[in-house]
Each structure stands twice: as C-alpha cells, then as structure tokens.
Amino acid sequence: MDQRIVSVDAETTVEEACETLLNENVLGLSVKANTQDVDSPHVVGLFDFSDVNAFLTLAATCHTLLPEDLLGKPRANEIVVAARSGRVPVRLVANFSEKNPLEILPHDATIISLLQLFSWGTHRALIRSGSSDEFEGMVSDRGLLAWFASYALKTPSLQDFLSNSLYSLSLPSLNIYAAVVGATASSTVVDAMRLMSEEGVSSVAVVDDETGALLSAVSVTDIGKVVVPSESKQVLSTPLHHFISFIKIAVEIKQ
C-alpha cells in the first residue's frame, strides 16, 4: 500500500474537500456517509483531482449550457442545481470524472488482482482490513508500477522482461499510433480543462502553435494545485504557455 486514507464526510462541501486534498498532499480522498451506526460510516466514493477538474469545468461553463444540454446527465444537473443554491456536497462530485470509481479489495488480494483491476482503467483501490470493516490503506496504479520497478532490480528475469519495448510486446490494448490529446500554447487553461474532461484523460500535451513542437504537459493535478488555490476566475483565461510557468514556479517553491 502506497497511500494513506484521508476521509471526508459526504456532506462536506467541494471547496472544503479540495482544501483537504491540497493540505493533506494526497492524490485522492475517501468520501464517507453516516449510517445508523455513527461509529461505522461507510465509503460511498472517492474524490480526486480528475473530479476537481470535471467539477471546475462544469462550474466555468454552466452559464453557457442550455436545459437540453443537461438532458441525460442527472449528476451534472444535480451539481448545477446545488451550485445555484450555494452549496455542493462532495458526494455529488465523487467520481464525476468517471475516471475514479470506488474499488475495494480484500486484505489478501494478489498482485494479479491489482493488475486486472488497473487494466480496466481504475487508478486506485482501497484495501480492506482482515480483522474489521475498516481499511488498511490504498494502492495506486503508480504505486504498483513503482513496486515492479523496485522488485525488478532484484529479479533479473523480470528486469529483462521490463526492458522490452512496448512496441515489441504487441499488446492488444496498446495503440502506438493513437492521436495524443493536446492543446496549443495559446489555448487557455479552461480549454485544457474542458479537453481533459471531454476526452477522459488526466493530462494534455501543450504544443507550439506554429511548429507543433512539444513544450510541456498540463495535468488534472496541476489544475487542482494551481487553479484551486488561486480563487480567481482570471486564471481560467490564462494562456497555457503562461500557465506552464506558474506550474514550474509552484514546483520550485515546494522544493
């Protein structure tokens, strides 16, 4: 397990949940709802930076939406109605991105179980304790990859396998020639947010307007860590080439 579990109540506002996400320096929060047993609330979902991006995108563009735009989108409609009332509970936004489903595995789950789960596009899983209904921790796809890399250093056969190029493995789910989701440097932050939300990706490439050369990338984590603390709508209209500079400054300050 590579991540500790930080929980928030389901009725916590999205703003408060975002603050917790940033202050606790974790990639996701467990969202708990109270049950009849007040000492044993149950997890109803997860909330991460992909959900933050999807929520902010909706908030930034909802004034342009027509009633028919929300047809068949009950969750988005609920969020818009809640936002107009002045309070959006985090339970409405948990997995709003549809990239952050709640997955729970038993304490004796195997590496194969994790690989199968992550192969479906899930990014993290809660691991249930063997002695109670509580959770021991959280495992992420990144954490599992880091474990494989570390274990390979002690296992030559695995190291040899991991040294193969992806192209040579002919994986059925891998499309080397698929288009990369990208935006031009002159595009705005909200353009990148909308693109990530619509395309279901966690980052977009930022390319030069004239040459098409790769300049950098912007991720949902960057959106959460730079846009949310700014508390200003002005940042949404910032060109991506300027936003990249903000990201670098934030990284340098943290270091």
Side-chain angles (χ1 to χ4, degrees), residues 103-105 112-122 124-125:
E103 297 289 351
I104 299 173
L105 291 176
I112 298 299
S113 301
L114 285 169
L115 285 172
Q116 184 179 37
L117 189 64
F118 293 151
S119 71
W120 297 335
T122 299
R124 57 188 65 87

Side-chain angles (χ1 to χ4, degrees), residues 100-240:
N100 187 33
L102 173 62
E103 297 289 351
I104 299 173
L105 291 176
H107 72 284
D108 55 354
T110 65
I111 297 296
I112 298 299
S113 301
L114 285 169
L115 285 172
Q116 184 179 37
L117 189 64
F118 293 151
S119 71
W120 297 335
T122 299
H123 295 293
R124 57 188 65 87
L126 296 180
I127 307 299
R128 194 180 293 280
S129 171
S131 57
S132 69
D133 289 334
E134 293 299 312
F135 297 98
E136 294 184 359
M138 191 182 297
V139 178
S140 69
D141 51 358
R142 294 182 185 180
L144 183 60
L145 287 175
W147 179 85
F148 269 117
S150 175
Y151 187 71
L153 296 176
K154 302 176 289 184
T155 313
S157 59
L158 180 58
Q159 182 67 57
D160 290 341
F161 178 74
L162 295 181
S163 298
N164 286 303
S165 69
L166 292 175
Y167 181 78
S168 68
L169 296 177
S170 300
L171 300 173
S173 61
L174 181 66
N175 187 351
I176 296 292
Y177 303 104
V180 174
V181 179
T184 58
S186 61
S187 300
T188 65
V189 170
V190 75
D191 290 332
M193 291 166 57
R194 185 186 296 110
L195 195 57
M196 288 188 282
S197 185
E198 292 176 350
E199 296 292 334
V201 295
S202 57
S203 63
V204 293
V206 180
V207 299
D208 184 271
D209 287 61
E210 296 182 359
T211 66
L214 178 64
L215 301 178
S216 187
V218 171
S219 71
V220 291
T221 303
D222 297 325
I223 297 299
K225 293 188 174 182
V226 178
V227 174
V228 174
S230 72
E231 297 184 352
S232 170
K233 291 184 179 181
Q234 192 170 10
V235 69
L236 299 176
S237 59
T238 302
L240 289 179

Side-chain angles (χ1 to χ4, degrees), residues 2-20:
D2 61 299
Q3 294 185 39
R4 59 194 175 93
I5 296 178
V6 178
S7 301
V8 292
D9 185 84
E11 297 305 317
T12 299
T13 66
V14 172
E15 291 79 9
E16 292 168 334
C18 286
E19 187 176 347
T20 300

